[in-house]
Each structure stands twice: as structure tokens, then as C-alpha cells.
Amino acid sequence: MIWNTNKECMPREQMRDLQGKRLQKLVSYVYHNVPFYRNKMQEMDLSPDDIRSIDDIVKLPFTTKQDLRDNYPYGLQAAPASEIVRVHASSGTTGNPTIVGYTRRDLAIWSEVMSRCLSAFGVTRNDTFSVSYGYGLFTGGLGAHYGVENLGATVIPASTGNTEKHLRLIRDLNITGIACTPSYALYLAEVIERMGLSKDDLHLHIGAFGAEPWTENMRQEIQQRLGLKGYNIYGLSEIMGPGVSYECEEQHGSHINEDHFYPEIIDPDTLEVLPHGQTGELVFTTLTKEGMPLLRYRTKDLCSLMEGTCPCGRTNIRMTPIMGRSDDMLIIRGINVFPSQVESVILEMKEFEPQYLLVVDRKNNLDTLEVQVEVRRDFFSDDIGAMLGLKKKLSDKLKSVLSINADVKLVEPNSIQRSEGKSKRVIDKRKLV
């Protein structure tokens, strides 16, 4: 179902014209209300009059996470404090958090784009939806919550924690949809089995999964174990929160709500804009944001933009799944390694649970990579020969994908710590030296 046909199916030239008009208004707005941007533009000898169409966006300065931290807490806020009705903050672990203020109109737009996402997943007024992202300063919980309400479905603000109680509610309240991280969805599947339940005891048929990268293999695992159809939803607190882009029933790329968020792909080294189809760093400009609008914000997420018409009828440009981040990409002995590459190999092998941990270290001036992975109970054995054979099988597959040797450590089921939020997949000990 398409929530807003006018905007989601808008002809491409009409969309570009709308984006251009909104960009002109945005640039004038931040120039006169945000000293940071005014100074940046003056240093570049730019004025708002120099921005006449969406093509002129390349003239504008980039914004980085560090810029947000340097202007903590409200230095990039454009709207007066009297118009800010809510504040969220990023879940970053280093430096100042990024503080994001929202006006009433910002929240209305957020609810609108979330309703587009949920409608694309098949959510209707007849559904009961559990929001199992964290509530509070993290944008996931409240972002999804108000989207469900705006659409007219019933929302269960479950948040995270007390998973067994949550599962009883899913069963007893006939909950049909759930929004959470993909790693938490897999944890739910484990707890279901531990409680002696099965997917047939539940009524789940829609999953909105985001807040961390996940692979197609992980999708298939979740769908099979929970008996639902899992959709990717993408967002980040600096831009809005969840709802920046979303998959449709085709599950082939995520449609960007580009009447509100203008996307670019750049080379993270040269900062040059790359053509559609090439992988690079995703950049967003918030075309309609009032509280804290951002020009050309570098997300650090790596993906590409997809051209071509989607069979669903939507014309908004699509982005591929996030393959990793330019700032948490591991460089091991000169080779770029992403956790998602390791995950894809593990999920292709029936012998392993989708639970793993990468431990990177430096010994004798040489980088090392240890991959800890849980063996499924049916395949875990005291037979040393069988375990060595399984270890070699995984090591060989990882070598073919990563182009480096990894030390595989097979561990017992349920031995890797679980997370109800974003899962921790990497420990890089080199940073501690």
C-alpha cells in the first residue's frame, strides 16, 4: 500500500523541481539563522542567491559529526528555543553526544515519513504493532511509535528488556508487527524456542528492522524463525530518525523520502560526487527540517543509489543495503574488512548460529583477526576431528571472501553475549595500545 501517492510516485523532473525550491529556501534559512553555516558559506564566497536549483547543492559545504560535537549543544539549531518541542540525542560512545531539536512541524513530517514506511511494509489500521526499539533519547522508539499512531494502527510501546514478558504479550495480544533491531529479532527467536513456543503460536507477519547493518542471509534467518516478512528501515538521529528510507514489498533497495532528505554518494577520500550505481559514502541534506537542518551531512554509511523504476510504482530513488561504515571499516594488514562480510559467510552455513564476535589485535607488529562464532547445538560435538573440520571449512570460506586469514574460534551455543539494542560485533584491541 502506498501512503502518499503524490510524493512517493512523483515524476522525476517534478521531484527535482520540488527539491530545488526546497533547497533554495533551506539555504536562506540556515544562512540567516545558523552562524556556523553563514561563516562556512562566507569563507567559500557563497550567498543564498547562488543556489538556484538542486544541481547547485555541490557548491555547499559538507557537515560532519565532529561539526555537531564542536557546536554542542545547540550551536547548529536554527529554530528559536520557543519553537523546539522535543530533543533527541545520538547514542555515540565518544565525545559529546549530538543533540537534535525538533519543531512541531518536524515531528509531523517524521510521523508522515514513518507512515509511508509502515504502509510499504503492509501495516494497516487493523494491525497491532510492537515498538521494541529503545525509547528515550534514542530516536528509534518514539519515531516508530508516532508513525504507527499516525497510520492508525495500535501501538504497543514495548521498548526493550524483559523479553519473555514481551513474547507473552506478542502471543496474547495477537501482535502482528514488530519494530526492532535485526539482532534483537534473532534473540527473540532464541527465547521463543527456549520458552517451548514456536512461530505458529504467534501472529507476527511484519517486521521493521533497522538501527544496524544486516545481510540478506540474516533476513532469511529471521523470516524463517519468526514466520514474518522482514523489511529494512533506515534512518539516523542527525537527519530525523527512522523513516529516511524504507523497503517496499519488492525488498530490493530502500526508497528514500527524497522530498525531505536529498541523497548524494561521494568518494570519502576525494569528496567528489559519484554517479548512481557506484558505492561510496552516503550524504544527506534535510530539505524541510526546521529545528536542526543540515547541509550535506556525511553519514559515514557506505552504499550506492539505484536507478530504474521499481515494480511497486514508487519513483523515489532507492539506496542499496548499507555494506558498512567508512569509520568502522577494519583495515587488517592493508585489507578492508567489514563485519557484514563475515556475517554473510556465517549465515550461509547451517552449522552456525547468527552470533559472532570479531577480535582484532596486533601481535609482533602484525594485525590478527579472530572470529568467534557459535556452533548450532545440533552440530556442536566432543568429536575433535569434526570440530577441526568445521573450523577449517569456515576458515577457508572466510579467506576466499576477506582475502586474509582469520583465526576461527568455535564456541558453544549461547556463549556470546546478547544485546537487546545494537549488537557489539567488533573488539579492536589495537586502539587500546
Side-chain angles (χ1 to χ4, degrees), residues 17-31:
D17 182 61
L18 176 64
Q19 290 169 332
K21 290 176 179 176
R22 288 183 169 178
L23 180 65
Q24 287 177 295
K25 184 177 179 181
L26 169 73
V27 171
S28 179
Y29 178 63
V30 298
Y31 186 87

Side-chain angles (χ1 to χ4, degrees), residues 209-326:
F209 304 127
E212 62 188 18
W214 56 310
T215 61
E216 182 60 31
N217 287 330
M218 193 170 185
R219 187 212 302 270
Q220 298 303 324
E221 176 92 7
I222 293 170
Q223 292 185 155
Q224 191 276 324
R225 293 177 73 176
L226 289 181
L228 49 69
K229 191 167 183 179
Y231 298 91
N232 189 59
I233 186 168
Y234 173 84
L236 58 166
S237 60
E238 297 90 339
I239 299 302
M240 181 64 85
V244 174
S245 74
Y246 57 96
E247 285 185 320
C248 62
E249 64 266 25
E250 300 296 323
Q251 293 181 314
H252 183 57
S254 295
H255 294 272
I256 297 171
N257 283 304
E258 54 176 327
D259 53 323
H260 297 290
F261 317 111
Y262 183 78
E264 300 173 272
I265 298 292
I266 65 167
D267 183 311
D269 297 319
T270 67
L271 306 185
E272 292 296 314
V273 177
L274 298 175
H276 293 171
Q278 288 195 23
T279 298
E281 182 181 337
L282 181 61
V283 171
F284 276 114
T285 296
T286 59
L287 295 175
T288 55
K289 196 108 172 272
E290 293 180 336
M292 196 185 80
L294 294 179
L295 300 178
R296 307 188 81 191
Y297 181 71
R298 297 184 57 184
T299 68
K300 298 294 184 180
D301 287 331
L302 298 175
C303 67
S304 64
L305 298 179
M306 301 169 61
E307 286 187 316
T309 304
C310 182
C312 76
R314 294 174 179 83
T315 56
N316 288 0
I317 199 164
R318 287 167 290 165
M319 54 185 276
T320 62
I322 302 300
M323 67 163 289
R325 287 177 56 82
S326 60

Side-chain angles (χ1 to χ4, degrees), residues 97-358:
T98 54
I99 304 297
V100 185
Y102 297 77
T103 65
R104 197 169 298 280
R105 181 169 180 266
D106 291 337
L107 294 182
I109 289 173
W110 195 1
S111 294
E112 157 69 17
V113 296
M114 275 301 305
S115 295
R116 296 181 192 179
C117 302
L118 294 164
S119 294
F121 303 158
V123 182
T124 71
R125 295 172 60 89
N126 297 320
D127 282 295
T128 301
F129 213 85
S130 169
V131 175
S132 304
Y133 290 117
Y135 280 65
L137 288 174
F138 174 60
T139 56
L142 286 172
H145 181 112
Y146 284 102
V148 175
E149 283 192 348
N150 188 60
L151 186 146
T154 301
V155 63
I156 307 296
S159 192
T160 56
N162 203 337
T163 300
E164 290 193 8
K165 179 182 178 182
H166 184 198
L167 282 169
R168 284 194 292 271
L169 287 175
I170 290 175
R171 179 193 62 193
D172 298 344
L173 300 183
N174 292 334
I175 290 173
T176 53
I178 185 169
C180 62
T181 61
S183 56
Y184 184 59
L186 284 174
Y187 179 60
L188 281 174
E190 289 182 6
V191 178
I192 287 171
E193 294 157 8
R194 194 185 310 153
M195 292 173 66
L197 300 173
S198 77
K199 61 185 179 183
D200 296 329
D201 295 311
L202 310 178
H203 295 84
L204 288 174
H205 66 95
I206 296 171
F209 304 127
E212 62 188 18
W214 56 310
T215 61
E216 182 60 31
N217 287 330
M218 193 170 185
R219 187 212 302 270
Q220 298 303 324
E221 176 92 7
I222 293 170
Q223 292 185 155
Q224 191 276 324
R225 293 177 73 176
L226 289 181
L228 49 69
K229 191 167 183 179
Y231 298 91
N232 189 59
I233 186 168
Y234 173 84
L236 58 166
S237 60
E238 297 90 339
I239 299 302
M240 181 64 85
V244 174
S245 74
Y246 57 96
E247 285 185 320
C248 62
E249 64 266 25
E250 300 296 323
Q251 293 181 314
H252 183 57
S254 295
H255 294 272
I256 297 171
N257 283 304
E258 54 176 327
D259 53 323
H260 297 290
F261 317 111
Y262 183 78
E264 300 173 272
I265 298 292
I266 65 167
D267 183 311
D269 297 319
T270 67
L271 306 185
E272 292 296 314
V273 177
L274 298 175
H276 293 171
Q278 288 195 23
T279 298
E281 182 181 337
L282 181 61
V283 171
F284 276 114
T285 296
T286 59
L287 295 175
T288 55
K289 196 108 172 272
E290 293 180 336
M292 196 185 80
L294 294 179
L295 300 178
R296 307 188 81 191
Y297 181 71
R298 297 184 57 184
T299 68
K300 298 294 184 180
D301 287 331
L302 298 175
C303 67
S304 64
L305 298 179
M306 301 169 61
E307 286 187 316
T309 304
C310 182
C312 76
R314 294 174 179 83
T315 56
N316 288 0
I317 199 164
R318 287 167 290 165
M319 54 185 276
T320 62
I322 302 300
M323 67 163 289
R325 287 177 56 82
S326 60
D327 59 351
D328 68 13
M329 174 179 69
L330 297 168
I331 302 178
I332 303 174
R333 300 196 290 276
I335 303 294
N336 296 341
V337 175
F338 293 98
S340 58
Q341 292 175 298
V342 176
E343 181 178 285
S344 66
V345 172
I346 290 172
L347 287 171
E348 285 174 358
M349 302 177 68
K350 63 184 180 188
E351 296 92 342
F352 301 112
E353 294 283 357
Q355 302 294 341
Y356 64 94
L357 182 67
L358 309 186

